[in-house]
Amino acid sequence: NRVIDSFEHAEACGRSEERRRYLTFAVVGGGATGVELAGALRGLVRGTLALHYPRVRAEEVRVLLFEAGAELLPGLPRNLAAQARKRLCERGGQSRGNTAGASGDGEGL
């Protein structure tokens, strides 16, 4: 619901810093769940939401994946983690290692 609300707000406002805030989503944790959530969110943006919110371009949406450790998917072979990072980036997501999310309140991280 929060993602849909953000799209509704973004579509209603102009191309401003406010619009950018509505279209930036942060996922904290680069384990299997975080990587899956970030990928699913990018898929939702390019699929269903693109049809329902035509004034929001997929390129405007930022999905940021933060991982406290150096690599995504710790515990898996490095080649799989590298492939996951590559696919996320190909789909417009971004990942940042060595970056912990200390706290979040709905207004910022």
Side-chain angles (χ1 to χ4, degrees):
N1 287 338
R2 187 175 193 107
V3 172
I4 292 169
D5 288 346
S6 292
F7 268 70
E8 289 177 359
H9 288 297
E11 198 165 65
C13 69
R15 297 190 190 288
S16 64
E17 187 60 32
E18 180 182 15
R19 183 178 174 94
R20 181 176 170 93
R21 277 194 0 248
Y22 285 125
L23 296 175
T24 300
F25 302 94
V27 177
V28 177
T33 302
V35 170
E36 181 69 24
L37 178 60
L41 186 53
R42 284 306 309 173
L44 182 66
V45 166
R46 292 189 179 275
T48 304
L49 294 177
L51 297 173
H52 294 284
Y53 300 94
R55 292 189 307 213
V56 175
R57 296 184 334 268
E59 307 83 54
E60 293 180 278
V61 180
R62 295 184 334 148
V63 177
L64 308 173
L65 176 61
F66 296 98
E67 168 55 38
E71 296 290 332
L72 295 181
L73 300 169
L76 290 181
R78 294 296 84 210
N79 63 328
L80 293 178
Q83 186 177 36
R85 180 185 299 265
K86 180 181 175 191
R87 287 202 176 172
L88 179 65
C89 291
E90 288 172 351
R91 293 180 180 153
Q94 299 174 27
S95 66
R96 297 184 182 161
N98 295 317
T99 308
S103 66
D105 63 3
E107 294 297 320
L109 177 67

